[in-house]
Amino acid sequence: MPHVQMEATTNRDPRTIEILGKIKTVFAQKGFDGASMQDLSRAAGMSAGNFYRYFPSKNAIIEAMVELDLSDVGEIFRHILASEDPRTTFLAALRAEMNAHTQTCDGPLWAEIEAASARRPEIGEIHCRIEQGVIRYLIRTFALIGGLAEREAEARFSGHAALIMIIFKGVAMQPNADAALIDLSVATVDALLPETAGPAATRISDMSIARE
């Protein structure tokens, strides 16, 4: 089984996390262009001057959101790659994340960021970074599941990883996505994964996973 190393997660400042939690609804509701810095500072319960000391621009806010999301993604994949059954753990985490995103403003927020990335190259670069980061984690997970060298997993399954990203985003950006859609999406992702290495491995499709 190949050894898989993970990058260190981003340093998480509690005050920054608190501010981002308060303002992300404004972005989701008003859009990247519609939300003013005054709207955002009000939502954070801060004076405009104090808010600008944390975030001098909307691009800086998006940058911080991306870094925080990558940190969260890193923690999820760290758990998956340390699991005795990474396939089952990965698919259970995928289901949980789809449920979580569709029940909060996170899905609409990331839909807005994706739309803004098509209009603004600087946002597109930030958005691309998180997608590339997630794809790297997926490749490492594929390597572990299939008992492959990471380079071989990348050569064989880069397209699979990109397709899984499309499936996840398509579900996560829908508010209150139907449970049947999530079930079908998880089953589709399962079919895209490498065959599990080892005779004792069990596919997630043969097991029962409780919904969140």
Side-chain angles (χ1 to χ4, degrees), residues 117 123-133:
S117 72
I123 300 300
E125 183 178 341
I126 296 168
H127 180 260
C128 183
R129 190 165 74 246
I130 190 169
E131 292 206 350
Q132 290 175 342

Side-chain angles (χ1 to χ4, degrees), residues 34-57:
S36 68
M37 292 294 279
Q38 289 74 21
D39 292 331
L40 296 166
S41 62
R42 263 196 309 271
M46 302 168 69
S47 69
N50 194 25
F51 186 77
Y52 271 97
R53 280 196 285 273
Y54 277 90
F55 302 111
S57 67

Side-chain angles (χ1 to χ4, degrees), residues 4 9 26-27 30 38 90 107 109 120 131 141 144 147 149 185-186 191 194 207:
V4 182
T9 54
V26 180
F27 269 131
K30 294 193 172 185
Q38 289 74 21
F90 168 67
L109 171 64
R120 295 171 174 260
E131 292 206 350
T141 302
L144 189 62
S185 299
V186 173
M207 303 179 68

Side-chain angles (χ1 to χ4, degrees), residues 85-98:
D85 187 350
R87 185 190 204 104
T88 299
T89 306
F90 168 67
L91 290 166
L94 178 69
R95 183 187 296 279
E97 287 299 300
M98 284 180 174

Side-chain angles (χ1 to χ4, degrees), residues 13-154:
D13 172 55
R15 180 57 174 151
T16 300
I17 294 172
E18 180 188 359
I19 295 169
L20 292 175
K22 289 178 177 179
I23 67 176
K24 63 183 182 180
T25 303
V26 180
F27 269 131
Q29 291 176 344
K30 294 193 172 185
F32 182 82
D33 294 321
S36 68
M37 292 294 279
Q38 289 74 21
D39 292 331
L40 296 166
S41 62
R42 263 196 309 271
M46 302 168 69
S47 69
N50 194 25
F51 186 77
Y52 271 97
R53 280 196 285 273
Y54 277 90
F55 302 111
S57 67
K58 285 192 277 187
N59 283 5
I61 297 171
I62 299 300
E63 181 96 25
M65 286 181 173
V66 166
E67 292 299 328
L68 182 58
D69 259 32
L70 276 175
S71 179
D72 290 340
V73 166
E75 289 299 324
I76 290 168
F77 276 96
R78 191 179 299 275
H79 175 64
I80 291 166
L81 294 174
S83 168
E84 292 183 1
D85 187 350
R87 185 190 204 104
T88 299
T89 306
F90 168 67
L91 290 166
L94 178 69
R95 183 187 296 279
E97 287 299 300
M98 284 180 174
N99 276 311
H101 278 71
T102 63
Q103 298 300 319
T104 66
C105 70
D106 288 352
L109 171 64
W110 286 105
E112 176 56 34
I113 291 175
E114 181 145 329
S117 72
R119 302 189 301 270
R120 295 171 174 260
E122 64 276 17
I123 300 300
E125 183 178 341
I126 296 168
H127 180 260
C128 183
R129 190 165 74 246
I130 190 169
E131 292 206 350
Q132 290 175 342
V134 174
I135 286 175
R136 283 197 301 272
Y137 285 126
L138 286 169
I139 293 296
R140 293 173 183 183
T141 302
F142 296 167
L144 189 62
I145 290 171
L148 305 170
E150 193 171 317
R151 284 188 179 180
E152 182 181 356
E154 183 176 10

